[in-house]
């Protein structure tokens, strides 16, 4: 029994044979059904690599069943112990969690398993390792180091292929001197452009003319991209757009230009596919914009998604035509490996690893702090999203929880923003609750020179005199003008609670009010054990803080003296205030 998988994007197909698994026929059929259910037209599995991973997990689980002490001939014979053994098989690998997750995915909807077996699969615990710094976004220096290498490859490819096309154009126009090296090179380029091959001897080796021109690899490279250069283009487009590498690698040639391609700055719309979004949402339109203006062409090229895409279209034209390729990524391989193609039309993860190795970047396991970074398309995309702070083919929640929350820089920035906002609120609250306090020294100054004291306090001398005499006292402070209250219309007497005086801009605190203020603090603290904590915190705690800030303007000796001078009338006044007897009803 077998499962035939056809990759939608490329048309590649592969037959996965389950009859070779070392288990009974019933188990083979069961595992084949589970895999087939995961790759139906309604599933999110569209790539050959994902299908190969599912088959690998099914085959690995079959080996665990085959090595089990007890016979396993039917799915109902599978127990929780088999899943534990599967986990133990990969215990030594960092990727063990991925294998367990893939097995869960494969069997999550299966009804042939017993309830106890399903519970055992769900109960498997995978160790969670701390996220390595390498899995987070790139630093600015790492980002520039990678993109510098990428842009260099793109620039070299552009200049080389444009040179080759210029030689071809001059050859076809008869502008090259007959018999010259350039004319011979133009002739070889012309042959390759028309036929897709170069002259060879009957034995298959390249002719002397090809060797003299620099070799077949050089001649063909004058019209076609290499796999490494295709990879560089894909990495650059990921860095510019934030799209998934696999999505970018499957972009089509066909696109729509709302401006008709007539303007220098424009937009291209591509129909793209992201299978992970599910069958209802996998198809999406990707806008490629030329967002930069006023800069030189070289600067705009390497920072404009549209210009990079159009350059890729230009440089891959010969390979697409000769290889009948419909995707924007197309190149040429001189000697493809067995089963490979001379005209590759896609770049994949292993091409990124090879590109990184050839450019001196380490693999993730050997990367060291302060050294060259490992090249990861996941980290490239994470960095783009972290910098832009807007979703790219994902939900806002996914962007926030998967991409931004693990970011150290985002957390540090968020903490700073929250701290700044909280500090502003604290400053606002402190400003609101701060009452100007007239100290004993100020009172003595007013007794000696009322005008100077009034000028220092920013008040009219007559109003200051009334305040100092106690004629404008409220319960806990004094009021500059009770007819200019923020709580009532202008000219009307204030009707707010006397506790609200602590929030009022008209309030002033004088030394003779210190005893009643201390009494109020003590009475409010005395109420705390008898009230719900939340109620006391909302009703009295802010008032206590305000009063303590006022009393803190006096030195400890003055506070102790005031505390000793608290009268019974003052304590009763405070009780009446806290019990609401002073409020208007």
């Amino acid at each position: 029994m077998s499962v035939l998988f056809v990759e939608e994007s490329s048309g590649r197909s592969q037959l996965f044979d389950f009859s070779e698994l070392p288990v009974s026929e019933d188990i083979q059929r069961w595992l084949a059904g589970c895999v087939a259910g995961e790759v139906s037209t309604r599933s999110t599995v569209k790539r050959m690599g994902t299908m190969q991973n599912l088959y690998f997990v099914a085959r690995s689980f079959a080996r665990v069943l085959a090595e089990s002490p007890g016979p396993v001939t039917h799915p109902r014979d599978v127990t929780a112990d088999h899943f534990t053994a599967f986990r133990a098989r990969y215990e030594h690998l960092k990727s063990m969690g991925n294998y367990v997750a893939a097995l869960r995915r494969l069997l999550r909807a299966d009804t042939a398993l017993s309830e106890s077996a399903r519970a055992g699969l769900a109960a498997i615990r995978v160790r969670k390792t701390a996220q390595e710094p390498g899995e987070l976004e790139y630093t600015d220096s790492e980002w520039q180091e990678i993109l510098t290498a990428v842009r260099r490859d793109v620039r070299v490819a552009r200049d080389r292929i444009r040179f080759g096309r210029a030689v071809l154009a001059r050859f076809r126009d008869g502008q090259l001197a007959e018999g010259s090296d350039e004319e011979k090179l133009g002739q070889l380029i012309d042959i390759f452009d028309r036929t897709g091959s170069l002259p060879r001897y009957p034995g298959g080796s390249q002719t002397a003319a090809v060797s003299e021109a620099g070799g077949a690899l050089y001649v063909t490279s004058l019209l076609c991209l290499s796999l490494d250069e295709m990879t560089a283009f894909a990495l650059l487009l990921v860095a510019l757009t934030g799209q998934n590498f696999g999505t970018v690698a499957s972009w089509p040639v066909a696109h729509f230009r709302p401006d008709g391609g007539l303007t220098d700055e424009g937009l291209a719309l591509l129909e793209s596919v992201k299978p992970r979004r599910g069958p209802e949402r996998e198809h999406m339109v990707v806008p490629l914009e030329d967002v930069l203006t006023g800069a030189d062409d070289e600067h705009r090229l390497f920072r404009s998604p549209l210009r990079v895409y159009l350059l890729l279209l230009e440089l891959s034209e010969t390979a697409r035509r000769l290889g009948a390729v419909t995707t924007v990524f197309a190149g040429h391989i001189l000697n493809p490996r067995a089963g490979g193609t001379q005209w590759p039309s896609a770049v994949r993860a292993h091409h990124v690893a090879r590109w990184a190795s050839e450019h001196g970047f380490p693999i993730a396991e050997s990367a060291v702090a302060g050294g060259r970074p490992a090249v990861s398309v996941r980290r490239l995309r994470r960095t783009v999203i972290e910098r832009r702070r807007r979703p790219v083919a994902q939900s806002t929640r996914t962007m926030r929880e998967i991409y931004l929350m693990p970011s150290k820089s985002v957390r540090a920035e968020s903490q700073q923003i929250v701290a700044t906002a909280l500090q502003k609120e604290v400053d606002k609250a402190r400003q609101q609750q701060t009452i100007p306090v007239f100290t004993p020294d100020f009172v003595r100054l007013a007794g000696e020179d009322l005008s100077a004291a009034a000028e220092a306090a920013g008040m009219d001398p007559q109003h200051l005199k009334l305040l100092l005499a106690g004629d404008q006292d409220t319960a806990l402070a004094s009021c500059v003008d009770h007819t200019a209250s923020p709580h009532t219309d202008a000219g009307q007497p204030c009707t707010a609670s006397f506790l609200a005086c602590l929030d009022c801009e008209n309030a002033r605190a004088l030394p003779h009010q210190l005893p009643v203020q201390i009494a109020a603090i003590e009475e409010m603290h005395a109420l705390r054990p008898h009230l719900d904590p939340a109620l006391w915190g909302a009703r009295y705690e802010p008032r206590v803080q305000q009063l303590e800030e006022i009393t803190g303007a006096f030195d400890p000796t003055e506070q102790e003296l005031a505390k000793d001078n608290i009268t019974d009338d003052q304590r009763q006044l405070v009780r009446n205030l806290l019990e609401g007897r002073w409020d208007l009803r």
Side-chain angles (χ1 to χ4, degrees), residues 559-566:
Q559 294 183 41
E560 286 298 325
L561 182 60
K563 187 174 182 180
D564 294 338
N565 292 331
I566 297 174

Side-chain angles (χ1 to χ4, degrees), residues 33 66 73 339 445 469:
T73 58
L445 173 63

Side-chain angles (χ1 to χ4, degrees), residues 551-572:
T551 59
F554 299 89
D555 62 48
T557 302
E558 292 170 334
Q559 294 183 41
E560 286 298 325
L561 182 60
K563 187 174 182 180
D564 294 338
N565 292 331
I566 297 174
T567 66
D568 292 340
D569 289 342
Q570 288 172 328
R571 291 194 182 280
Q572 186 60 46

Side-chain angles (χ1 to χ4, degrees), residues 38-57:
E38 284 297 309
V39 296
S40 66
T41 56
R42 300 292 297 170
S43 75
T44 60
V45 178
K46 307 293 184 182
R47 311 285 191 205
M48 183 66 73
T50 309
M51 174 59 185
Q52 290 170 343
N53 290 338
L54 288 175
Y55 178 71
F56 172 79
V57 170

